[in-house]
């Protein structure tokens, strides 16, 4: 088979086929899956964190975790959801580290969010500044549901908690944001 | 998942380009191949125990230093007129001259005191970055020399950075006069001047890097640009590039940057301009633009590519020494970098 034909097959192969091939040690399949979902993972990281500073690292850590845990993946067709769960966990850890660093240095880190419309920049900066004051435990579910647009069951799955817990955390975050920003955002 | 929420549309998408995707993949491959990230609990537990021990030792050491009796530590005084000071790589040491002025040397900096009396203090700086905090209100003159550059001081705080090819004077507070080849530049607070290290016979007198008030007034007020408008302008640039009209592409890019506030997107535009100038075989210009691109956001996603681009442009422009230095820096910083193969010829 020519290299071009092989590439076409990789592009068209379904997730479960790619996962099976990765389990067999196929690097091309790993790259094909990476190309398919790297942007998706980057999007989650960006919208949960609010800037580009750690997007590369989140994508990297997520796909390293994929390599490490691919043999434990029970349903290969759900690799996308699995990546979202791992990316959420990686983001939560990083936000935790960030808030600990801030607590130690007692100063806010500079964020440079990029907006699709620069006119919205001030509003979105305000939102992320408010989110920075929340703990990752409530911030991540809120951002996953309200910004990323995940349904409540999806949010619960990605955050690794029950539906009831995720609702409680989203509500808690919304209450804190309401106090800081008013009704507009929550 | 449903369509994007209004908030998601407002927040937008990350900067995620093909180059970035390839670079992150190279990093993942490197770590996966090295087996990094695999569970190594015994090692982690060992490291955690060692960390706790080191922390306890640190706390005990701090308590010992805080509670021990003894004279307060005074900064070291350089008293001899010709003493040489070579600072090893370490945090900034702090020294005092006899008139009370203070000197902070960055790691690797070298300077010596040529004259020190009630009338004058003359210091000679050979290399590295040194910050001077000069005592005000004294009648003696205070002068720092780097080769033929003389910096005369009247009560001030300033830094002199002497690299292999330039001397840069940055004034934090007060005022200094910099004398070079019969020409004098006066620098005020928060002004900076960069001069080539050696004045050649054919060299024109350099202009100060300080922005003049006239230029400040003429500066174009930059407008905010929406993503859609920027895409339209960049489509014109792409069309010019596809048509092979590189001068027009470069002019359009410069125009966009001159007239619009681009924020974090500026780095991407500078990178494109660097590529265009490289295509025009204006290698020195391209190298300068890649350098600006790196400086625009040192933590940005295109720094690796700009560093490689700068090294290759310098090499093509004939500046082999600087190109090699940058290639070495690239290899050290990105051992699995995607441009390493292209830079290999420079590293030999």
């Amino acid at each position: 088979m020519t290299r071009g034909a092989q590439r076409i097959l990789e592009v068209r192969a379904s997730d479960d086929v790619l996962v099976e091939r990765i389990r067999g040690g196929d690097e091309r399949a790993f790259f094909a899956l990476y190309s398919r979902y790297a942007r998706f993972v980057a999007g989650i990281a960006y919208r949960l964190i609010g800037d580009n500073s750690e997007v590369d690292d989140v994508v990297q850590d997520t796909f390293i975790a994929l390599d490490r845990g691919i043999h434990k993946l029970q349903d290969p067709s759900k690799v996308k959801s699995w990546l979202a769960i791992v990316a959420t966990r990686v983001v939560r850890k990083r936000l935790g580290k960030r808030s600990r660093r801030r607590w130690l240095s007692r100063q806010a880190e500079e964020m440079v969010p990029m907006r699709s419309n620069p006119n919205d920049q001030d509003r979105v900066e305000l939102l992320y500044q408010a989110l920075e004051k929340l703990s990752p435990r409530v911030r991540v579910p809120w951002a996953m549901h309200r910004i990323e647009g995940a349904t409540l069951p999806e949010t619960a799955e990605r955050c690794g908690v029950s539906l009831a817990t995720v609702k409680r955390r989203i509500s808690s975050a919304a209450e804190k944001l309401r106090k800081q920003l008013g009704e507009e955002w929550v | 998942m449903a369509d994007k929420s209004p908030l998601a549309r407002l927040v937008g998408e990350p900067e995620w380009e093909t180059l970035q995707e390839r670079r992150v993949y190279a990093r993942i491959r490197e770590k996966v191949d090295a087996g990094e990230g695999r569970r190594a609990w015994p090692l982690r537990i060992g490291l955690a125990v060692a960390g706790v021990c080191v922390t306890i030792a640190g706390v005990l050491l701090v308590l010992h230093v805080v509670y021990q009796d003894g004279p307060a530590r005074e900064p070291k005084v350089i008293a001899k007129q010709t003493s040489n000071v070579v600072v090893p790589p370490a945090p900034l040491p702090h020294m005092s001259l006899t008139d009370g002025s203070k000197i902070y040397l960055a790691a690797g900096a070298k300077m010596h005191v040529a004259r020190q009396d009630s009338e004058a203090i003359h210091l000679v700086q050979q290399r590295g970055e040194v910050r001077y905090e000069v005592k005000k209100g004294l009648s003696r003159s205070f002068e720092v020399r780097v080769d033929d550059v003389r910096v005369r001081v009247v009560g001030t705080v300033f830094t002199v950075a002497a690299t292999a090819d330039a001397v840069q004077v940055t004034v934090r507070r007060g005022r200094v006069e910099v004398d070079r080849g019969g020409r004098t530049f006066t620098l005020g607070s928060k002004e900076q001047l960069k001069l080539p290290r050696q004045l050649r016979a054919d060299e024109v007198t350099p202009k100060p890097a300080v922005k003049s008030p006239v230029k400040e007034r003429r500066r174009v007020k930059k407008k905010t640009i929406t993503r859609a408008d920027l895409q339209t302008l960049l489509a014109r640039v792409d069309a010019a590039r596809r048509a092979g009209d590189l001068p027009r592409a470069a002019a359009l890019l410069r125009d966009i940057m001159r007239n619009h506030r681009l924020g974090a997107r500026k780095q991407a535009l500078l990178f494109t301009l660097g590529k265009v100038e490289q295509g025009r075989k204006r290698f020195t210009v391209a190298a300068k633009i890649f350098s600006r691109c790196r400086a625009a956001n040192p933590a940005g996603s295109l720094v690796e590519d700009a560093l490689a681009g700068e090294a290759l442009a310098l090499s093509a422009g004939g500046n082999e020494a600087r190109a090699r230095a940058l290639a070495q820096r690239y290899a050290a910083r990105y051992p699995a970098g995607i441009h390493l193969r292209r830079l290999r010829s420079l590293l030999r």
Side-chain angles (χ1 to χ4, degrees):
Chain A
M1 192 186 298
T2 64
R3 188 174 287 183
Q6 199 172 352
R7 267 192 204 145
I8 290 168
L9 278 181
E10 276 156 9
V11 169
R12 290 183 179 167
S14 62
D15 287 355
D16 44 357
V17 171
L18 287 177
V19 168
E20 285 306 327
R21 283 174 48 195
I22 295 170
R23 283 173 173 168
D26 186 343
E27 279 186 24
R28 281 177 181 279
F30 187 85
F31 181 69
L33 199 69
Y34 169 81
S35 305
R36 190 174 291 176
Y37 291 125
R39 179 174 282 275
F40 166 71
V41 173
I44 290 179
Y46 174 70
R47 283 184 284 276
L48 293 187
I49 295 174
D51 59 69
N52 277 306
S53 61
E54 298 189 63
V55 167
D56 285 16
D57 294 334
V58 173
V59 175
Q60 177 186 307
D61 291 354
T62 304
F63 280 90
I64 288 174
L66 172 72
D67 173 74
R68 203 171 63 194
I70 198 148
H71 294 282
K72 297 177 198 162
L73 189 59
Q74 287 176 351
D75 185 353
S77 63
K78 289 189 176 168
V79 68
K80 186 178 177 185
S81 314
W82 191 84
L83 284 169
I85 293 169
V86 176
T88 309
R89 197 186 308 145
V90 172
V91 167
R92 196 178 146 176
K93 273 188 189 168
R94 287 188 168 268
L95 288 174
K97 273 186 195 166
R98 192 190 267 198
S99 56
R100 282 194 293 280
R101 268 203 311 269
R102 208 173 26 249
W103 182 81
L104 285 171
S105 64
R106 299 274 178 196
Q107 60 186 23
E109 286 177 18
E110 192 184 352
M111 288 203 314
V112 189
M114 288 269 295
R115 301 291 151 243
S116 53
N117 182 349
N119 294 328
D120 295 326
Q121 184 145 335
D122 292 345
R123 297 174 67 210
V124 179
E125 270 177 23
L126 270 181
L127 171 65
Y128 278 98
Q129 277 167 14
L131 283 172
E132 283 289 303
K133 292 176 187 162
L134 303 187
S135 90
R137 201 172 58 90
V138 295
R139 169 187 175 161
V140 169
W142 186 90
M144 180 60 76
H145 180 53
R146 291 300 315 277
I147 302 178
E148 186 63 14
T151 61
L152 285 171
E154 277 173 342
T155 308
E157 185 191 29
R158 290 180 186 182
C159 296
V161 294
S162 70
L163 190 59
T165 305
V166 91
K167 282 181 186 172
R168 201 168 52 247
R169 289 185 182 174
I170 291 172
S171 160
S172 163
E175 188 55 39
K176 286 171 182 161
L177 289 174
R178 189 177 287 119
K179 281 181 190 161
Q180 290 186 58
L181 301 169
E183 291 293 330
E184 185 192 1
W185 297 101
V186 287
Chain B
M1 196 185 300
D3 286 343
K4 278 185 183 174
S5 70
L7 269 179
R9 281 197 294 275
L10 200 63
V11 172
E13 290 294 325
E15 293 283 302
W16 188 255
E17 294 153 350
T18 314
L19 271 173
Q20 193 177 0
E21 189 171 296
R22 283 170 54 201
R23 187 172 45 252
V24 173
Y25 183 73
R27 272 162 45 188
I28 292 169
R29 214 47 276 163
E30 183 195 357
K31 296 201 171 176
V32 165
D33 292 344
E36 189 175 314
R38 295 191 188 281
R39 289 174 193 280
W41 291 112
L43 180 65
R44 287 184 187 184
I45 291 166
L47 286 174
V49 170
V52 170
C53 293
V54 169
T55 310
I56 292 169
V59 170
L60 290 174
L61 186 68
V62 168
L63 290 174
H64 176 72
V65 170
V66 168
Y67 288 107
Q68 76 173 352
D69 291 326
R73 294 176 177 199
E74 289 296 328
K76 189 178 173 185
V77 175
I78 303 174
K80 293 182 181 172
Q81 289 193 351
T82 54
S83 56
N84 269 305
V85 182
V86 183
V87 181
L92 288 182
H94 160 206
M95 288 171 288
S96 295
L97 296 173
T98 48
D99 70 338
S101 300
K102 290 176 184 170
I103 302 175
Y104 297 84
L105 291 94
K110 185 179 180 184
M111 48 93 54
H112 71 264
V113 182
R115 179 181 171 186
Q116 186 174 210
D117 52 42
S118 58
E119 291 178 356
I121 291 178
H122 289 176
L123 307 171
V124 177
Q125 184 176 331
Q126 284 100 327
R127 65 164 188 254
E129 191 172 342
V130 183
R131 176 174 144 142
Y132 301 92
E133 291 187 5
V134 181
K135 190 88 173 173
K136 283 194 281 189
L138 300 176
S139 57
R140 53 94 187 92
S141 70
F142 193 105
E143 190 173 287
V144 178
R145 290 182 205 167
V146 182
D147 299 339
D148 58 340
V149 178
R150 292 174 176 213
V151 185
R152 275 191 301 279
V153 183
V154 187
T156 192
V157 179
F158 67 103
T159 306
V160 178
T163 58
D165 48 1
V167 178
Q168 184 172 294
V169 183
T170 309
V171 180
R172 205 173 166 82
R173 285 200 303 271
R175 180 175 289 271
V176 303
E177 283 182 353
V178 183
D179 187 66
R180 172 37 133 19
R183 185 162 177 189
T184 303
F185 306 96
T186 304
L187 300 183
S189 179
K190 292 178 185 166
E191 289 184 329
Q192 191 176 73
L193 176 65
K194 191 171 184 178
L195 298 166
R197 186 75 190 258
Q198 290 294 336
L199 189 64
R200 296 187 298 273
D202 57 347
E203 194 175 53
V204 291
T205 311
K207 290 178 184 172
V210 180
K211 290 165 190 161
S212 72
V214 178
K215 277 188 180 170
E216 199 69 43
R217 277 199 298 274
R218 281 182 192 160
R219 190 192 279 177
V220 180
K221 191 172 181 187
K222 294 187 176 183
K223 293 175 283 187
T224 304
I225 186 168
T226 63
R227 176 173 278 208
D229 290 345
L230 182 60
Q231 291 301 335
T232 311
L233 292 174
L234 289 178
R236 283 185 208 156
V237 175
D238 289 341
R241 289 177 79 184
R242 275 197 299 276
D245 191 353
L246 296 181
R248 178 167 164 71
L252 283 168
L253 281 166
R254 287 199 167 91
D255 200 44
I256 296 170
M257 286 190 279
R258 194 179 304 120
N259 294 316
H260 300 98
R261 221 180 305 144
L262 297 163
R265 294 185 183 93
K266 188 177 177 188
Q267 186 170 54
L269 263 71
L270 281 167
F271 185 75
T272 310
L273 181 59
K275 299 285 275 183
V276 169
E277 292 295 6
Q278 213 169 9
R280 295 173 72 189
K281 304 203 184 306
R282 298 176 70 198
F283 297 114
T284 311
V285 177
K288 279 182 187 163
I289 290 165
F290 283 130
S291 174
R292 278 176 60 200
C293 173
R294 289 195 291 125
N297 181 5
S301 57
L302 288 168
V303 171
E304 179 184 346
D305 310 291
L307 183 58
E310 190 179 347
L312 291 167
L314 284 167
S315 169
N319 191 346
E320 292 294 340
R322 177 86 180 129
R324 190 174 303 113
L326 287 180
Q328 282 164 351
R329 192 189 301 177
Y330 180 95
R333 199 177 293 173
Y334 310 106
I338 55 175
H339 302 291
L340 212 52
R341 196 176 297 171
R342 290 163 65 207
L343 295 174
R344 202 163 283 158
S345 61
L346 298 178
L347 293 167
R348 280 176 199 141

